[in-house]
Amino acid sequence: NAGVTQTPKFRILKIGQSMTLQCTQDMNHNYMYWYRQDPGMGLKLIYYSVGAGITDKGEVPNGYNVSRSTTEDFPLRLELAAPSQTSVYFCASKGQGSTEAFFGQGTRLTVV
Amino acid sequence: KNEVEQSPQNLTAQEGEFITINCSYSVGISALHWLQQHPGGGIVSLFMLSSGKKKHGRLIATINIQEKHSSLHITASHPRDSAVYICAVCSGNTPLVFGKGTRLSVIA
């Protein structure tokens, strides 16, 4: 049981490049979340999903896209990377009816 | 939207000291989480509580639902406790809302 797995752990992107941050969980959780963490700030919600085929915007969705074609996977897509997207990204998941959340190890992204 | 405030923002303690980190929130919740994040590391869940008190080793978490306040205590602090401690709350199936974290440094 691996929990929540994020890849890559680190990435440097040039302005305008695109990339996908991968997140997968093996706990059959319905709920999955993407957060970003900036220095001195709390984690902010980018997008979330309450089940396969359903996604919704969080607090800071601009510049990102997500999809949820399966229960296990919830990739986060950056289409045109900007320096403002330099951050640490965390994926999390939660089971239906549970309040316990599980976090991935994070992806440190730098856009230069 | 729930507003989560943590205090202090930064805390430096001598090894062995008793430490308290506070968290308050603005709207009623179903659960409150205390999380730990080491430098360069991922986020680890320490406690999840909806009432009363929980203890795990040298860590104690309490919550007062009426006052919308929680505290995390560390007894006999140690340098390995140095980390960022984060409070997060949720209501039902809503996404977690996070505080900004408290950066703790314990000096030997």
Side-chain angles (χ1 to χ4, degrees):
Chain A
N1 191 338
V4 179
T5 303
Q6 280 184 244
T7 56
K9 285 191 169 52
F10 304 94
R11 183 75 186 266
I12 299 174
L13 274 185
K14 293 186 178 176
I15 294 171
Q17 285 185 321
S18 62
M19 77 163 293
T20 299
L21 281 67
Q22 302 290 347
C23 176
T24 188
Q25 51 88 13
D26 60 359
M27 297 171 282
N28 201 33
H29 284 170
N30 286 346
Y31 296 85
M32 295 187 75
Y33 311 90
W34 274 106
Y35 292 92
R36 60 177 286 171
Q37 185 183 37
D38 299 309
M41 305 295 291
L43 277 76
K44 294 196 182 297
L45 183 67
I46 304 171
Y47 270 95
Y48 67 102
S49 169
V50 301
I54 306 168
T55 62
D56 215 339
K57 293 179 181 179
E59 191 179 351
V60 289
N62 291 346
Y64 307 95
N65 278 300
V66 293
S67 59
R68 185 93 183 272
S69 55
T70 66
T71 299
E72 294 78 20
D73 300 306
F74 189 41
L76 177 72
R77 178 90 179 153
L78 284 72
E79 290 294 349
L80 287 170
S84 61
Q85 294 176 303
T86 294
S87 189
V88 181
Y89 292 84
F90 286 96
C91 178
S93 73
K94 186 173 78 69
Q96 178 84 29
S98 170
T99 50
E100 185 173 11
F102 295 81
F103 289 85
Q105 285 297 301
T107 297
R108 186 174 294 275
L109 175 67
T110 302
V111 182
V112 295
Chain B
K1 180 184 174 242
N2 220 330
E3 301 291 333
V4 180
E5 297 288 335
Q6 282 186 241
S7 63
Q9 273 189 292
N10 295 284
L11 180 57
T12 300
Q14 293 291 323
E15 184 174 358
E17 282 187 12
F18 179 84
I19 288 161
T20 296
I21 300 170
N22 296 299
C23 175
S24 60
Y25 51 94
S26 58
V27 178
I29 60 170
S30 54
L32 182 143
H33 298 248
W34 280 105
L35 309 163
Q36 183 190 55
Q37 185 178 29
H38 282 281
I43 295 172
V44 175
S45 179
L46 297 174
F47 294 103
M48 182 182 63
L49 59 164
S50 53
S51 64
K53 178 179 174 178
K54 286 190 176 180
K55 185 175 190 291
H56 185 243
R58 295 180 294 106
L59 300 178
I60 303 166
T62 64
I63 188 168
N64 184 319
I65 296 294
Q66 286 73 30
E67 295 192 1
K68 297 185 177 65
H69 180 268
S70 175
S71 293
L72 175 68
H73 305 286
I74 304 175
T75 62
S77 59
H78 190 276
R80 65 175 175 266
D81 296 326
S82 298
V84 176
Y85 293 84
I86 302 170
C87 170
V89 301
C90 64
S91 299
N93 287 316
T94 61
L96 286 169
V97 178
F98 292 80
K100 293 182 180 180
T102 295
R103 185 174 299 276
L104 171 65
S105 297
V106 181
I107 300 168

